[in-house]
């Protein structure tokens, strides 16, 4: 039996005190919420017969109070069962030593303002994650403070009950981490705060006003780090960057469902969570029916030899060279607009010269999207017309007054004088109202010559313009140009077209404020092309990106990144970090996955598993799927306490086939990128959808479609092998189907 910590009873009393105080605050918050709701109800009822402005003010005040009370209530409820997970005994130089308890959110005593719980994101909490016992230093808003760390303590608290107390030095390889790693996949994401490691903490708290790129091995915590960096960002910079101006780009809706519980747990709400495709569609309002983005992947994984023209077109569309071609096309379009500027007149009076207008368009406002420039020029024209109209009317009125005076007093003949005066008055009474009328529409009428760009049509014109591509794309071979034109002869849209469409929209129309995100977090960034990233950076006019990915899992390398160098060239201010430790899987499973990593074209370092042992990966020889053996294997896995189990196939086709074969034998869910995961069932997953997910145990089936010695296949296999936390089982006709030397065979 494990011996209890000598301070266990003392710590139990502290937990009881904390829970009791939280309960008091919770009851007050509930009363406050009810009171605010009642006050709003009364104020609404009073609107009919009281001073409306006073009643509206009352409603607004109570609404704010209600929101604060509700927020406090929800915050307390979220940590009630686990108020904190660690404690530091710390003395800041020049001050008394103090015990600080660290949790997911902060809590202060209302009367004394003493911290009962310190938020994990606060600067002093960094001492827990980074500090070794003894002399330490930490930063608060660029100021460095020094002190002494006497102890670091961790707690296991379940359902409000203290289970264990442990004193530690480093947070790496400690008991709390080992316990979390040996836990279940479906709860691990939400508990990561208590086990953040020093190298992960460095990335979470890295300079928030600079971009960061993270190459992280499978299971190194890339996703959780990105999510915690969002939480830390809002905690630290929230007053300058509202949550709805932060965006996380997830690889799929399936992935968003997987992380759905994490952000609320971290106190983050209102952040824009979407996929790249959905964001581009929303930001541009362009309606497209895209081809299934995995169709090309399926073709490439099933072909004996890859289609070189198909690969070339995908690579080309994702390159900055393609962006350069678009820039030339857009430059020509811009010049065609500039040629339409002419001198602008009211009647015969010139308001502005064409050269002035061209200069505004091509030079002064060149930093703006084309249509925004035209809108600005229209405003300038309207202002000029208003000013010039006054000058014209003043000059004309003066001219007619002088002419009338001359006619009245200078012409002696009555008949001639009458004719002259009448003519002048008629002319004046015609011209002045005409100028008044013309001036109201002069700017609008003039600007009608500039038609709004149809981005979709312009892009179609670009990809089908044979003469332009012949003249400008001189580095393309005749075969490549012909292939490109043939591919686009029929209107068809694919994922690779979204970056150029978004880029053209940003250059011609600009991105609307609603979609003008100021901070971007990208998961699985290795699946983006450099053009996708450049288009986002240009359209959003910010480089504040947090990008996490793993080149070893770059299954879309035919259209996406194959190295980080282009990214660091694009984001010149970015810091680059690596995470090579895997916290997900056992040493035995990681050793097998590393054997696949060594076969890859990229020169990638091997992943270092955290010291946690498990059973060896098992191989089951089957020439066809034996349903009853699968059922027995699942029962055996579940008997060891594992709940979330995935059966991963190389292709969607094989996944569908296996689903059919298992149809009457057991409950399962065939995952698509739109699925809501049901962890109670066996999850049948095509390998490309498994990326970013983790499970207690994984079965990889390669019967109909073996993994071959192709770049994409190796990466798909690596992805599949790095999904399980505890157990890996391989099912197929031979070990060669898994690119392995000699795994253990289970007959």
């Amino acid at each position: 039996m494990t011996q209890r910590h000598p301070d266990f009873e003392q710590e139990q009393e502290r937990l009881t005190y904390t829970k009791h105080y939280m309960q008091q605050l919770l009851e007050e918050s509930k009363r406050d919420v009810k009171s605010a709701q009642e006050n709003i109800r009364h104020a609404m009822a009073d609107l009919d017969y009281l001073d409306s402005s006073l009643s509206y003010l009352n409603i607004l005040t109570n609404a704010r109070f209600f929101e604060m009370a509700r927020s406090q209530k929800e915050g307390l409820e979220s940590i009630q069962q686990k108020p904190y997970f660690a404690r530091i005994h710390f003395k800041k130089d020049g001050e008394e030593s103090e015990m600080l308890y660290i949790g997911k959110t902060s809590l202060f005593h209302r009367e004394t303002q003493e911290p009962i719980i310190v938020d994990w994101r606060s600067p002093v909490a960094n001492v827990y994650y980074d500090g070794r016992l003894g002399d330490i230093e930490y930063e608060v808003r660029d100021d460095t403070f020094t002190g002494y760390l006497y102890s670091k303590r961790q707690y296991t608290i379940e359902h409000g009950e203290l289970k264990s107390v442990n004193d530690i030095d480093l947070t790496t390889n400690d008991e709390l981490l080992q316990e979390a790693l040996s836990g279940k996949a479906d709860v691990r994401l939400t508990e990561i705060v208590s086990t953040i490691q020093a190298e992960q903490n460095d990335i979470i708290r890295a300079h928030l006003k600079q971009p960061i790129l993270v190459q992280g091995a499978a299971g190194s915590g890339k996703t959780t780090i990105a999510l915690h960096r969002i939480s830390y960002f809002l905690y630290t910079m929230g007053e300058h960057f509202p949550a709805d101006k932060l965006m996380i780009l997830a690889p799929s809706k399936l992935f968003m469902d997987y992380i759905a519980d994490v952000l609320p747990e971290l106190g983050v709400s209102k952040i824009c969570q979407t996929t790249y495709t959905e964001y581009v569609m929303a930001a541009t309002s362009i309606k497209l029916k895209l081809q299934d983005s995995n169709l090309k992947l399926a073709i490439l994984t099933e072909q004996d030899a890859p289609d070189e023209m198909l690969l070339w077109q995908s690579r080309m569309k994702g390159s900055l060279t393609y962006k350069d071609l678009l820039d030339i096309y857009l430059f020509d379009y811009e010049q065609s607009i500039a040629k339409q500027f002419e001198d602008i007149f009211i009647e015969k009076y010139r308001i502005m010269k064409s050269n002035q207008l061209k200069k505004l368009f091509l030079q002064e406002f060149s930093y703006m999207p084309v249509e925004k420039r035209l809108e600005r020029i229209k405003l300038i024209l309207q202002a000029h017309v208003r000013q010039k109209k006054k000058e014209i009317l003043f000059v004309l009125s003066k001219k007619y007054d002088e002419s009338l005076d001359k006619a009245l007093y200078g012409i002696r003949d009555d008949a001639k004088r009458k004719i002259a005066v009448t003519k002048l008055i008629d002319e004046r009474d015609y011209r002045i109202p005409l100028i008044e009328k013309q001036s109201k529409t002069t700017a609008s009428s003039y600007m009608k010559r500039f038609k709004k760009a149809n981005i979709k049509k312009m892009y179609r014109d670009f990809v089908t313009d044979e003469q332009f591509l012949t003249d400008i794309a001189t580095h393309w071979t005749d075969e490549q140009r012909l292939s490109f034109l043939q591919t686009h002869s029929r209107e068809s849209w694919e994922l690779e077209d979204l970056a150029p469409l978004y880029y053209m929209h940003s250059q011609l129309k600009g991105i609307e404020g609603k979609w003008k995100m100021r901070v971007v977090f990208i998961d699985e960034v290795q699946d983006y092309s450099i053009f996708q990233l450049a288009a986002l950076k240009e359209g959003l006019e910010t480089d504040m990106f947090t990008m996490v990915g793993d080149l070893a899992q770059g299954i879309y390398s035919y259209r996406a990144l194959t190295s980080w160098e282009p990214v660091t060239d694009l984001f010149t201010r970015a810091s680059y970090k690596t995470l090579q430790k895997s916290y997900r899987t056992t040493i035995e499973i990681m050793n097998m996955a590393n054997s696949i990593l060594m076969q890859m074209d990229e020169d990638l370092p091997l992943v270092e598993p955290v010291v946690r042992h498990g059973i060896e990966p098992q191989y089951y020889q089957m020439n066809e799927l034996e349903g009853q053996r699968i059922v027995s294997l699942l029962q055996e896995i579940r008997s060891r306490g594992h709940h979330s189990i995935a059966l991963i196939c190389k292709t969607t086709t094989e996944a569908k086939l296996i689903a059919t074969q298992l149809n009457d034998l057991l409950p399962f869910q065939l995952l698509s990128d739109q699925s809501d995961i049901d962890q109670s069932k066996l999850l049948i997953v095509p390998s490309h959808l498994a990326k970013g997910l983790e499970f207690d145990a994984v079965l990889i089936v390669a019967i109909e479609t073996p993994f071959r010695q192709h770049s994409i296949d190796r990466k798909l296999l690596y992805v599949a092998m790095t999904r399980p936390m505890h157990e890996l089982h391989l099912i197929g006709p031979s070990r060669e189907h898994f690119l392995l030397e000699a795994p253990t065979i289970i007959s």
Side-chain angles (χ1 to χ4, degrees):
M1 185 175 174
T2 308
Q3 190 175 359
R4 272 190 168 182
H5 193 283
D7 294 342
F8 189 87
E9 281 75 19
Q10 185 183 331
E11 291 291 2
Q12 211 162 26
E13 287 176 19
R14 165 71 193 210
L15 179 59
T16 303
Y17 159 75
T18 303
K19 285 164 56 186
H20 178 71
Y21 188 73
M22 286 171 64
Q23 190 59 41
Q24 280 184 299
L25 290 182
L26 197 52
E27 286 167 9
E28 282 181 37
S29 296
K30 287 175 182 175
R31 286 196 297 271
D32 290 343
V33 166
K34 193 173 180 183
S35 171
Q37 283 177 314
E38 199 63 36
N39 289 341
I40 291 170
R41 196 176 295 116
H42 286 311
M44 292 291 283
D46 291 344
L47 271 178
D48 291 337
Y49 57 87
L50 287 180
D51 173 54
S52 61
S53 61
L54 186 64
S55 297
Y56 277 124
L57 188 63
N58 194 8
I59 290 168
L60 288 172
T61 303
N62 278 287
R64 278 194 285 268
F65 182 67
F66 169 75
E67 192 57 42
M68 286 168 59
R70 192 184 65 159
S71 178
Q72 183 179 35
K73 173 179 166 289
E74 290 174 353
L76 288 166
E77 285 173 341
S78 71
I79 63 167
Q80 205 172 12
Q81 298 303 312
K82 190 172 182 178
Y84 47 80
F85 54 81
R87 188 202 80 181
I88 54 174
H89 182 193
F90 169 69
K91 182 182 181 300
K92 189 167 145 186
D93 286 349
E95 296 183 12
E96 295 291 320
S97 68
E98 54 186 338
M99 307 281 193
L100 297 177
Y101 288 77
I102 300 167
K104 288 182 180 176
T105 189
S106 57
L107 180 66
F108 293 88
H109 196 286
R110 280 189 171 178
E111 293 171 10
T112 65
Q113 287 303 301
E114 289 294 315
I116 296 171
I117 305 171
V118 173
D119 195 299
W120 71 273
R121 297 165 292 189
S122 65
V124 73
N126 202 29
V127 171
Y128 165 72
Y129 292 113
D130 275 358
R132 295 294 303 264
L133 302 187
D135 293 319
I136 56 100
E137 60 178 42
Y138 67 99
E139 289 188 4
V140 182
R141 292 187 178 88
D142 299 327
D143 287 333
T144 302
F145 293 87
T146 55
Y148 193 87
L149 181 60
Y150 295 100
S151 69
K152 293 204 294 191
R153 184 168 286 181
Q154 292 178 333
Y155 307 98
T156 302
I157 300 172
E158 293 176 7
H159 308 296
E161 296 296 321
L162 183 65
K163 298 295 182 183
S164 68
V165 179
N166 294 299
D167 287 318
I168 60 161
D169 187 355
L170 283 168
T171 49
T172 309
N173 295 336
D174 55 54
E175 290 184 35
L176 196 61
L177 174 62
Q178 290 295 329
E179 186 180 329
L181 295 180
S182 63
K184 303 298 163 218
D186 52 356
V187 298
R188 209 162 69 88
L189 265 180
T190 58
E191 294 302 321
I192 197 76
V193 169
S194 58
T195 59
I196 292 169
Q197 304 302 293
E199 74 274 15
Q200 296 173 326
N201 187 52
D202 285 345
I203 294 168
I204 291 168
R205 297 174 189 256
H207 201 306
L208 292 173
K209 290 185 178 179
Q210 286 183 352
I212 185 169
L213 171 64
V214 181
Q215 158 62 42
S220 60
K222 297 184 297 297
T223 299
T224 48
I225 287 168
L227 299 178
H228 285 71
R229 185 164 165 82
I230 294 169
S231 177
Y232 179 64
F233 187 96
L234 286 173
Y235 177 86
T236 310
M237 309 276 288
E239 60 189 278
H240 306 296
F241 294 87
D244 62 1
K245 288 299 172 191
L246 273 67
M247 174 169 69
I248 181 163
L249 289 177
S252 65
K253 284 188 176 179
L254 173 66
F255 185 84
M256 282 192 284
D257 173 59
Y258 180 67
I259 66 169
D261 296 332
V262 184
L263 289 174
E265 281 272 338
L266 295 171
V268 175
S269 60
K270 297 181 182 175
I271 186 171
C272 176
Q273 301 175 58
T274 186
T275 63
Y276 177 81
T277 299
E278 284 185 340
Y279 169 71
V280 170
M281 297 283 206
T284 61
S285 299
I286 295 174
K287 301 287 188 292
L288 294 174
K289 187 174 181 183
L290 285 183
Q291 292 177 12
D292 181 353
S293 61
N294 292 303
L295 189 61
K296 198 177 287 187
L297 179 67
I299 292 169
L300 291 168
T301 52
E302 290 169 10
Q303 286 176 337
D304 290 330
D307 183 331
E308 289 302 326
M309 282 297 114
L310 189 71
L311 292 173
W312 172 79
Q313 283 190 41
S314 293
R315 279 195 299 269
M316 171 53 66
K317 281 188 173 181
S319 70
L320 293 182
T321 305
Y322 195 63
K323 176 181 173 291
D324 292 341
L325 293 176
L326 265 180
D327 281 333
I328 296 168
Y329 201 77
L330 292 172
F331 176 80
D332 289 349
Y333 175 74
E334 183 185 57
Q335 293 299 315
S336 72
I337 289 177
K339 287 175 184 174
Q340 296 178 57
F341 284 106
E342 298 172 350
D343 293 354
I344 182 167
F345 294 87
I346 297 179
E347 204 199 40
K348 62 182 181 182
Y349 295 95
R350 185 162 58 193
I351 305 301
M352 286 186 80
K353 292 181 179 179
S354 62
N355 286 343
Q356 289 175 280
L357 293 165
K358 282 181 185 177
K359 186 178 179 184
L360 287 173
F361 180 74
L362 293 173
Q363 296 176 34
E364 302 294 330
F365 300 147
S366 61
Y367 63 93
M368 300 170 71
V370 165
E371 289 182 7
K372 298 292 182 191
R373 293 185 227 173
L374 294 172
E375 287 171 16
R376 182 69 65 85
I377 288 170
K378 183 179 179 180
L379 292 174
I380 289 171
L381 277 178
Q382 287 171 335
H384 268 261
V385 166
R386 282 194 297 271
Q387 180 61 35
K388 289 284 186 180
K389 181 192 77 172
K390 291 177 185 175
E391 294 174 12
I392 291 166
L393 291 178
F394 177 78
V395 169
L396 267 183
S397 296
K398 187 177 177 184
K399 174 186 170 187
Y400 280 111
D401 286 347
E402 289 172 354
S403 297
L404 282 167
D405 281 348
K406 281 182 183 178
L408 284 167
Y409 302 109
I411 302 174
R412 293 181 181 178
D413 186 292
D414 288 346
K416 287 182 179 178
R417 183 171 63 246
K418 186 177 179 181
I419 292 168
V421 168
T422 302
K423 184 183 176 186
L424 284 168
I425 290 172
D426 287 347
E427 191 178 303
R428 180 195 67 187
D429 291 350
Y430 170 77
R431 288 185 71 191
I432 286 177
L434 184 65
I435 288 167
E436 287 273 13
K437 185 180 177 183
Q438 276 189 5
S439 65
K440 290 176 183 175
T441 59
T442 298
S444 298
S445 299
Y446 181 85
M447 295 304 292
K448 278 181 182 175
R449 69 188 66 198
F450 304 108
K451 306 301 179 190
K452 296 278 186 187
N454 181 325
I455 304 296
K456 194 171 164 183
K457 183 181 181 304
M458 274 189 70
Y459 182 63
R460 282 288 302 152
D461 291 344
F462 167 75
V463 296
T464 55
D465 191 332
E466 184 174 358
Q467 191 58 54
F468 175 82
L469 294 175
T470 302
D471 293 343
I472 305 302
T474 52
H475 53 289
W476 292 9
T477 66
D478 291 340
E479 184 188 5
Q480 287 170 339
R481 185 162 48 256
L482 182 63
S483 167
F484 187 87
L485 290 165
Q486 283 176 343
T487 299
H488 296 93
S489 58
R490 283 178 58 252
E491 185 171 333
S492 177
W493 303 93
E494 57 182 354
L495 179 69
E496 288 92 318
D497 293 314
L498 291 181
L501 284 167
Y502 179 84
Y503 180 69
M504 288 181 82
H505 187 92
S506 73
Q507 297 301 296
L508 299 181
K509 295 179 179 293
I511 304 302
E512 281 183 36
K514 180 183 177 183
W515 301 107
K516 201 74 171 277
M517 301 300 165
R518 296 174 65 188
V519 183
V520 183
F521 296 81
I522 301 180
D523 203 352
E524 306 289 356
V525 72
Q526 78 280 350
D527 292 339
Y528 284 66
S529 70
I530 194 64
F531 189 6
Q532 280 179 292
L533 296 177
L536 281 173
K537 180 172 178 270
E538 188 105 9
L540 297 174
E541 299 180 274
T542 180
D543 70 346
M544 288 180 62
F545 283 48
T546 292
M547 299 164 283
V548 299
D550 180 13
L551 292 174
Q553 298 180 65
I555 60 176
Y556 302 103
S557 55
Y558 58 88
R559 61 166 165 79
L561 296 165
T562 54
S563 85
W564 296 129
E565 190 177 348
V567 184
T568 53
D569 287 345
L570 180 64
F571 293 88
T572 52
R573 298 193 312 126
S575 57
Y576 175 70
K577 306 280 185 182
T578 59
L579 293 168
Q580 283 311 117
K581 286 183 182 174
S582 173
Y583 297 94
R584 176 182 296 138
T585 196
T586 61
I587 289 173
E588 289 74 16
I589 294 172
M590 203 64 242
N591 285 343
M592 180 173 278
N594 272 334
S595 73
I596 305 302
L597 191 62
M598 286 189 288
Q599 298 177 44
M600 291 189 189
D601 300 331
E602 294 84 357
D603 183 18
L604 295 166
L606 297 183
V607 181
E608 306 164 25
V610 169
V611 182
R612 183 168 67 86
H613 285 281
I615 64 172
E616 288 283 346
Q618 309 287 299
Y619 169 61
Y620 302 77
Q621 187 169 23
M622 293 187 202
N623 293 319
E624 59 184 32
L625 194 74
E626 300 172 32
Q628 286 302 330
R629 283 184 76 187
I630 299 294
V631 172
S632 299
L633 176 56
L634 289 174
Q635 289 171 345
E636 186 185 323
I637 293 169
R638 287 205 167 99
S639 73
R640 290 191 281 270
H642 302 314
H643 303 301
S644 68
I645 305 172
L647 187 156
I648 302 177
C649 312
K650 188 174 95 168
T651 65
T652 303
T653 303
E654 184 157 19
K656 288 177 179 175
L657 177 63
I658 287 171
T660 304
Q661 293 169 331
L662 295 177
N663 198 30
D664 299 322
L665 297 175
L666 50 84
F668 65 83
Q669 180 186 11
L670 177 61
L671 288 192
S672 72
D673 58 3
Q674 306 292 318
S675 297
D676 293 326
I677 297 176
D678 183 351
Q679 295 276 21
S680 67
K681 297 177 179 177
L682 172 68
L683 302 171
I684 301 178
V685 193
S687 55
H688 69 272
L689 281 181
K691 201 147 51 63
L693 307 181
E694 65 179 27
F695 309 96
D696 292 339
V698 166
L699 287 63
I700 305 178
V701 176
I703 295 174
E704 298 293 327
T705 49
F707 293 92
R708 306 156 306 166
Q709 280 294 356
H710 290 176
S711 174
I712 295 171
D713 281 34
R714 287 191 288 268
K715 288 175 178 175
L716 288 169
L717 178 58
Y718 178 77
V719 165
M721 281 185 176
T722 53
R723 296 311 97 198
M725 289 178 64
H726 304 293
E727 295 189 26
L728 175 62
H729 303 269
L730 310 176
I731 299 165
S734 73
R735 61 183 179 271
E736 284 82 5
H737 277 54
F738 303 95
L739 310 180
L740 294 173
E741 293 299 320
T744 306
I745 297 177
I746 307 297
S747 59

